[in-house]
Each structure stands twice: as structure tokens, then as C-alpha cells.
Amino acid sequence: MQAKSDIVTFKKINRMGCLTGVSTRKFGSIKSKGEILQSNLNRFLKTYSLDPVKAVFMNQVHGKKVVYVSNNKKIVLKTDGIFTNKKNLILCVVTADCMPLIFYSPTKKITGVVHAGYKGLLEGIIQEMLLKFKSHHIEAEDICVGIGPCIGDCCYDVPKERVNAFTGKYSYPNIYQDKGGKYFLDLKKIGLSILLENGVKKKNIEVLPFCTRCNVSNFYSYRADNKQTFGEFVTFIAVK
Ligand SMILES: [Zn+2]
């Protein structure tokens, strides 16, 4: 499916009282070599009337560490998940094929973002974020989760060892396809299955349908871009 407009957002989750968005290629790359590309970020957040000073990013390392943030420290080091109960913060995750997730408790107004590549999914970063919410007395059934654009099973061919790692850890059905000896892994289905297994309700999950590699004209894709064209797009959540 192609992204039709410049505004890509989690409509269902927005209706629960927060603001979400995914930057498209039109705004340019949001982060490069660990540095935030401030003018691109500013232009993007301006379309939401948000103050870029309130944005918090992570220095993502494909791990499972989740950190609580309470101020607008610009970049949280060596972490792949952040969450907050501070209403003025804009939590940001950048990706280009990996899976971005947003988390939201409508009752407690707690927000979170996660960067989940295959390593993070194997290590359990999603489960870690749910545990952090639980430690703030929010049960999984009260959490809304959005899964943003990432590489789809149409395009994500991986070595058999990677498939084995997932089938060894998780017993979810149909998380990969064998197309004549080529293996295609379904990150979204794995993410969705982890959420459901851990108590998040299906009606509270919103999955954006875009594959980054198929939609490289709208997003960025590690696999489809080259050195010159590569960048990263941002997925954010903020409380209104
Ligand atoms: Zn694709």
C-alpha cells in the first residue's frame, strides 16, 4: 500500500487523546550518523504545531533497554525504548526498515516509543516496555499500541538462521514464508503476536500498512536506499 498524503498518523490512537505522526521523505532525513537534523525536524513538527525543543530521541543500539524520561534531554544514550508521564514531551524513534512502535495509556497519559529491529524483538524490547508500564500500574489491556512503517514480509528476506532464532524463541504461526528456499520474515506479525500474547487487546492495536522498502519514495529504507539517498524518518507520540 502506498502512503497517499504527506500526513501519516495513527488515527485510532489519536482519537484516544494523543498526537502521533510519521515523517515522510518530503521532510528529509531526521537523523544522520547519530545527529538530529534539526531543520528537517523543525519543519516536520511545525506541521503539528509542536515545539521541537520538547523532542526526545534515543541513541538506538538494537538492545532491550527501556528508560524513563522526565525532561527534554535531547538524546538518551544506548537505549531502544523511552517512556514518560510528562505531557509536554514529544517521544521520538527513528527508523529505516526496523519497526517503530508507540505506546499510550489513555487513563494515565503515559507515552512510550520503541525501536525494534530483529535483534530487539529477539531480546524482548516490546515485553520490556509493557513491564515498565506495569510498574506504573498500567495493565497491558489498558495500553494502546501503534506499529509504524517497517520492512514487510514482501521484502524482508533473511538467512535461515534468523528464522530459526525466531521459531526457537516464539511459537507464533506464520511469522515467515519459505519461497523456494528464500526466507521472508514478518516483523509486524511478530510484533503483533508479542503484544497479543502479553495481554494487549487487538482493538487497541493500530498497524500502519506500509512496507518501507516498497514505499521508499515516501519513507527511508536501509535495503532500498543507497549511501547517497539513505536517511531515517521519525515516528513520534505526544499527549495533546
Ligand atoms: Zn515490501
Side-chain angles (χ1 to χ4, degrees):
M1 189 183 284
Q2 296 287 315
K4 286 199 183 70
S5 80
D6 292 330
I7 301 290
V8 179
T9 185
F10 296 86
K11 291 196 179 96
K12 201 159 111 179
I13 295 178
N14 292 344
R15 283 199 291 273
M16 307 299 284
C18 63
L19 206 54
T20 65
V22 181
S23 70
T24 56
R25 212 170 174 108
K26 181 188 115 167
F27 296 96
S29 178
I30 300 299
K31 204 165 164 227
S32 173
K33 298 185 180 85
E35 298 288 326
I36 295 158
L37 300 173
Q38 199 65 49
S39 62
N40 293 347
L41 176 69
N42 293 359
R43 266 192 314 132
F44 171 60
L45 290 180
K46 203 175 166 188
T47 62
Y48 288 85
S49 303
L50 287 171
D51 180 359
V53 168
K54 308 284 169 57
V56 186
F57 285 80
M58 302 173 283
N59 182 346
Q60 304 162 184
V61 289
H62 296 276
K64 71 161 193 176
K65 192 170 157 199
V66 176
V67 171
Y68 170 76
V69 291
S70 59
N71 58 32
N72 55 329
K73 186 177 177 178
K74 195 156 249 174
I75 297 187
V76 182
L77 292 176
K78 288 186 184 170
T79 185
D80 290 275
I82 45 175
F83 70 105
T84 191
N85 55 2
K86 303 296 175 197
K87 286 182 187 167
N88 61 340
L89 296 183
I90 307 161
L91 301 189
C92 300
V93 50
V94 295
T95 52
D97 285 351
C98 284
M99 187 162 63
L101 296 102
I102 57 169
F103 293 75
Y104 177 57
S105 157
T107 48
K108 297 261 172 80
K109 304 287 179 199
I110 290 186
T111 53
V113 292
V114 154
H115 162 250
Y118 80 89
K119 288 181 192 160
L121 288 175
L122 282 172
E123 285 203 26
I125 179 103
I126 293 176
Q127 296 89 322
E128 197 68 21
M129 181 61 90
L130 295 175
L131 283 174
K132 294 289 186 190
F133 270 65
K134 202 179 168 95
S135 72
H136 281 68
H137 311 290
I138 300 161
E139 295 302 322
E141 60 183 41
D142 299 318
I143 304 173
C144 300
V145 183
I147 296 180
C150 68
I151 194 162
D153 65 339
C154 39
C155 293
Y156 191 42
D157 58 312
V158 298
K160 184 72 181 12
E161 296 73 46
R162 198 170 301 177
V163 169
N164 291 346
F166 277 96
T167 52
K169 181 173 170 75
Y170 300 113
S171 55
Y172 309 134
N174 308 318
I175 57 171
Y176 75 96
Q177 291 180 66
D178 178 352
K179 294 181 187 169
K182 271 190 126 186
Y183 297 91
F184 291 79
L185 198 59
D186 193 336
L187 294 177
K188 280 183 189 170
K189 195 171 270 176
I190 294 166
L192 189 62
S193 304
I194 292 171
L195 291 166
L196 294 172
E197 187 188 15
N198 286 278
V200 179
K201 293 222 158 95
K202 197 165 186 184
K203 69 175 176 66
N204 292 337
I205 302 173
E206 180 169 10
V207 184
L208 297 187
F210 316 115
C211 162
T212 41
R213 192 173 188 180
C214 292
N215 276 279
V216 70
S217 57
N218 292 111
F219 304 108
Y220 287 96
S221 167
Y222 181 76
R223 291 203 173 194
D225 276 299
N226 59 43
K227 261 188 182 158
Q228 281 73 41
T229 63
F230 182 69
E232 292 179 277
F233 62 89
V234 68
T235 300
F236 81 85
I237 181 164
V239 172
K240 267 183 203 162

